[in-house]
Amino acid sequence: VLGGWYNRFLPPNGPSATAPPAAQGATPPAIPTVTFTAGLLSGLTEAIMIVTPAEVCKIRMQSQYHSLIDPSQKPQMNAKYKNVAQTAMLIVKEEGIGALYKGVVPTMLRQGCNQAVNFTAYNWSKKRVLAWKKQQMEEKHGGAGSVGNDVQLDHWQSLLLGGLSGGMGPLVNNPLDVVKTRMQKQVIHPGKEPKYKSLLQSCMVIAKEEGTPALWKGITPRLMRIMPGQAITFMTYEAVSARMESFGWFDYE
């Protein structure tokens, strides 16, 4: 999805996102605005098409058991939500299809912010690390111009940059994640007004009842999940892309 939006917003005279350095004659970095916009729109797209309904089903399935219940007793209990497909159909039957899109606004903002900040931060830091590596290599091999443009990140560098950039989004948008979870977890009964109605109202209710720090509940496990995942994702992406380019799969005439 990100690649599709990236190519959509890449200037027509700009380099191809996948063309190798030799075919471009240089390796100019992606324009920050393009990267930010592509990441933002990819996050919004995935939030609408996949993430929101899947999150609603996941949260309903996870929240039907009390956290202090003996795990050995769970199989004996008559669970309301048994699997993703059954959960989705039951939610639609009882609450309408719109219930699968509870919290879609905070989910869109969360995903859009995550992807925009993630890819912008990664590309920005990657540009500077590559410039530093090229400078070091030129000083070692005889001055400016002695090293070509085919300078790549080491695996540990893409791993580190991916992890750090992946952690920036959750630090900023954790309140959106808290509100999203609260809105998706609540079951709306006919004739009864829901506690959490909108993004702003939910933030105010949580801050009033539990204090402002409650909007950052769960930030530690989120970072423990997202940062390693993004680190592995970017390291794998860079390694696979470099190998595919070395095979000439992205050569353009």
Side-chain angles (χ1 to χ4, degrees), residues 10 25 34 39 103 114 117-118 131 137 142 151 169 175 194 201 205 208 223 248 252:
L10 191 68
V34 174
N114 268 345
V117 172
N118 190 6
M137 294 173 67
V151 181
Q201 181 265 351
V205 169
K208 180 180 179 180
L223 291 175
Y252 291 87

Side-chain angles (χ1 to χ4, degrees), residues 8-243:
R8 171 66 178 83
F9 284 92
L10 191 68
N13 295 327
S16 168
T18 55
Q24 297 174 20
T27 54
I31 302 173
T33 304
V34 174
T35 305
F36 184 89
T37 303
L40 176 64
L41 292 177
S42 67
L44 297 177
T45 301
E46 68 176 357
I48 296 172
M49 296 182 64
I50 299 173
V51 176
T52 302
E55 287 276 299
V56 170
C57 294
K58 181 196 75 171
I59 291 171
R60 293 292 184 89
M61 293 177 68
Q62 290 177 337
S63 63
Q64 64 183 332
Y65 294 117
H66 193 281
S67 60
L68 298 180
I69 287 180
D70 184 352
S72 64
Q73 297 179 1
K74 290 183 180 180
Q76 303 172 9
M77 299 179 64
N78 186 19
K80 181 178 182 179
Y81 304 115
K82 299 177 175 60
N83 56 61
V84 176
Q86 180 266 349
T87 299
M89 290 189 292
L90 186 58
I91 292 173
V92 172
K93 179 181 178 181
E94 294 183 347
E95 305 171 50
I97 193 170
L100 289 176
Y101 283 89
K102 284 181 180 178
V104 65
V105 173
T107 303
M108 290 173 62
L109 294 175
R110 184 197 68 170
Q111 295 300 116
C113 177
N114 268 345
Q115 302 294 11
V117 172
N118 190 6
F119 284 94
T120 301
Y122 180 79
N123 283 332
W124 181 87
S125 55
K126 175 183 176 181
K127 170 188 173 183
R128 277 146 185 80
V129 171
L130 289 177
W132 174 80
K133 288 189 66 175
K134 183 176 180 180
Q135 181 181 5
Q136 296 296 313
M137 294 173 67
E138 287 177 341
E139 291 177 356
K140 183 178 180 180
H141 294 92
S146 60
V147 177
N149 292 307
D150 193 11
V151 181
Q152 297 180 351
L153 295 176
D154 296 330
H155 292 324
W156 70 268
Q157 291 173 330
S158 56
L159 184 76
L160 178 61
L161 295 181
L164 292 176
S165 63
M168 293 182 182
L171 288 173
V172 174
N173 64 27
N174 200 73
L176 298 173
D177 190 64
V178 172
V179 171
K180 173 198 73 69
T181 302
R182 299 289 182 92
M183 295 180 70
Q184 292 175 338
K185 182 179 179 180
Q186 68 180 355
V187 178
I188 300 178
H189 301 283
K192 186 176 180 181
E193 188 176 6
K195 181 177 182 180
Y196 304 109
K197 306 180 186 67
S198 65
L199 174 60
L200 181 60
Q201 181 265 351
S202 299
C203 286
M204 295 176 64
V205 169
I206 295 172
K208 180 180 179 180
E209 295 182 350
E210 307 171 44
T212 302
L215 293 171
W216 271 268
K217 282 183 177 180
I219 184 62
T220 300
R222 270 195 84 198
L223 291 175
M224 292 176 64
R225 173 178 64 87
I226 293 175
M227 291 182 68
Q230 291 300 313
I232 294 171
T233 296
F234 278 109
M235 182 186 70
T236 305
Y237 169 80
E238 295 287 357
V240 173
S241 295
R243 181 57 60 91

